[in-house]
Amino acid sequence: MAYIIKRTGILFAVFIFTFLSKSYSQTLTIPLQDSRENIERIILQEKDFQKDSVQLKKFLAPLLQSSSKKYNILYYALLANGYSSFFDKTNSLSDTYYLLSIQKAKDINDPSLIIWAEMNYSKYLYYYREIDKLIPTLLKTIDATESINPNKMILPGETFKFFGWIMTTIDDEDLAVKFLKKSLHYTKTNSPEYASVLNAIGVYYFKEKNFPAAMYYFDKTIAVSLPISDNIRYAKALGDKALIYEKKGDYKTALELLQKDIDYSEKYKDEKNSMYASILMAKILLKEQDTSRANALLQKAEKIALSKPYYNNSLKDIIELKLNILNGKDPEKELSLRRELKKIEESLLKTDGETALTRANWFVQKAKYENRVKNTQLQYEHESKMKNIYILLVILAILLSIFIFFSFKKRLKNNSLEYNKKIIDHKIEKRNYEKKLNDANLDLDAHIKFLHNKNIQISKLKLELENIKQSPSYHLEKGKLQELLDSHLMTDENWNTFKREFKKEYNVFYEALMKDFPELKDSNLKIIMLQKLRFTNSEIASLLGITLDAVKKSKQRLKKKLGDKHNLLFEIIDMS
């Protein structure tokens, strides 16, 4: 029998050793690439080894052994978290490793890691209520997030949620809800983190006395928490809903919800939440004059509050409620409680007491004011710079306008000189041909040559007019060219001279026209006589100063006017 017991003991010891070896043989799995996504995966593998710092270092060792500087930074930050859990208070080891992680992140100039490392350190300071140290670090971290795309941050949802919590603690509600709602955008839905943010937004609306909105967010917290078995978050939401019913005067519902909160917190071993819910329930019971139940809850809450130095704020509430219950009934005990209360209040002045939080809030508001002043100064400098730029642009525009004006004026002058030269050349050429016509004794052949030359001159002048359309001095130049062009057209004087010479050469043809077609007018005769001399419709139009369509329409009207005699007319024209 003794042998069996001994053997069983040995087997049990081996089993325990094997189990513990397997439990503590866990090491961190790290990917080869140190991308932002992989860094987040590593952080989410973090474990709480509580009082076993040897296994903590063993677990994190792959990060330190890695050639990646980013992974080395994670090692120091996560090691600092481990020592925080080990000592369960602020300690020199955690302080050293947090600051080392921040410095190394700055050394490699990685904004996302700098923000995460500083936020990680801020969480530690917040948890242990080192408010005076926390606020400067926190404000610097918040400022850094303004200059980075949240999608490039490490766990942005968690970071913005933490900012929201801090601002809620120091009563900067506007900033709190801004960060919390921003956190929702970067937090996975149907997750404990999402439920946590919903609950925090509900608390914001409760503080704002917007109870319908607060109830909405607490109910949403419950709806998210239950399916994912986030029992503690569910319990907290019940406790927060109880506060709304208390404000409405429905103490019965409030007490029922707080009792459920306590039951869940105790079942799932969350002492902190159990303590908070017990204090809240005791406050309502005192309003109901149920001092016995209230006292029992306070005794249980006090035991938890005394276990951690950072629960002093809750311990202060408990003592104040106890004094309320005593109400002068036991002066000796009451004196002892007041002495204890004074010590706690002195301690809280440096941590999370009213004075410390007020000072923190003042610090935040001061930073916000300085930031506004800085932004105003930057805006002023920007506006001043822009004003100088505008003045410079105006001066440049004026100088450019002056340059363009004188260039334009010079160009106009050159164009005018060139234009006048062309006009003179055309006039000389016209005069030369007119002289040749006079020297040729004004016979019909000379007239025909003269008319053909006119057509050439008219074409040139029309081309000149077309070319100067884009000229800035078009309206000035057009007048003289048009005048010269008009002088080439068949005037009454030219017509009479031409008709006289035509009658000499084609007397029979002319007499036949007058006899057989007495209805013909001078306008008809001009076209008929020019056609007889084999001028084209286009040439006729140029000489008479009318359009080609006008010549064609004139012929059509003549055809209609002459009727059957029209064919006879053109037979006569075509005869040699």
Side-chain angles (χ1 to χ4, degrees), residues 527-542:
I527 293 173
I528 291 167
M529 290 165 72
L530 288 169
Q531 187 169 341
K532 177 67 177 174
L533 296 175
R534 301 293 184 265
F535 281 89
T536 65
N537 285 350
S538 179
E539 290 172 329
I540 292 169
S542 291

Side-chain angles (χ1 to χ4, degrees), residues 200-211:
I201 295 173
V203 171
Y204 159 78
Y205 283 115
F206 176 78
K207 286 187 173 184
E208 292 291 297
K209 295 184 172 52
N210 186 344
F211 299 137

Side-chain angles (χ1 to χ4, degrees), residues 36 40 119 123 150-151 153-165 179-188 193-194 196-197:
R36 182 184 63 82
E40 288 182 347
M119 188 273 295
K123 270 188 176 182
N151 290 311
M153 288 168 57
I154 297 167
L155 300 172
E158 185 68 22
T159 303
F160 292 129
K161 178 180 76 172
F162 175 65
F163 292 165
W165 280 349
F179 285 124
L180 290 170
K181 288 188 174 180
K182 200 170 182 180
S183 174
L184 279 183
H185 185 71
Y186 297 100
T187 303
K188 184 181 176 184
E193 292 76 19
Y194 197 78
S196 173
V197 178

Side-chain angles (χ1 to χ4, degrees), residues 554-564 566-567:
S554 179
K555 286 185 176 182
Q556 288 170 0
R557 283 195 296 270
L558 183 60
K559 182 179 179 181
K560 188 176 180 181
K561 183 178 180 180
L562 296 177
D564 295 337
H566 180 264
N567 290 337

Side-chain angles (χ1 to χ4, degrees), residues 427-471:
K427 284 182 177 180
I428 291 170
E429 194 172 358
K430 179 175 180 285
R431 196 178 301 119
N432 288 339
Y433 274 99
E434 286 174 347
K435 186 175 183 300
K436 283 181 182 179
L437 179 64
N438 291 331
D439 292 346
N441 298 318
L442 299 174
D443 62 5
L444 185 61
D445 286 341
H447 260 288
I448 292 170
K449 286 181 182 178
F450 179 64
L451 291 176
H452 277 298
N453 177 263
K454 274 186 175 292
N455 254 325
I456 293 168
Q457 296 302 312
I458 288 168
S459 296
K460 285 182 179 179
L461 290 167
K462 283 183 176 178
L463 185 61
E464 289 287 347
L465 279 167
E466 190 65 31
N467 288 339
I468 66 167
K469 274 188 177 179
Q470 302 304 320
S471 170

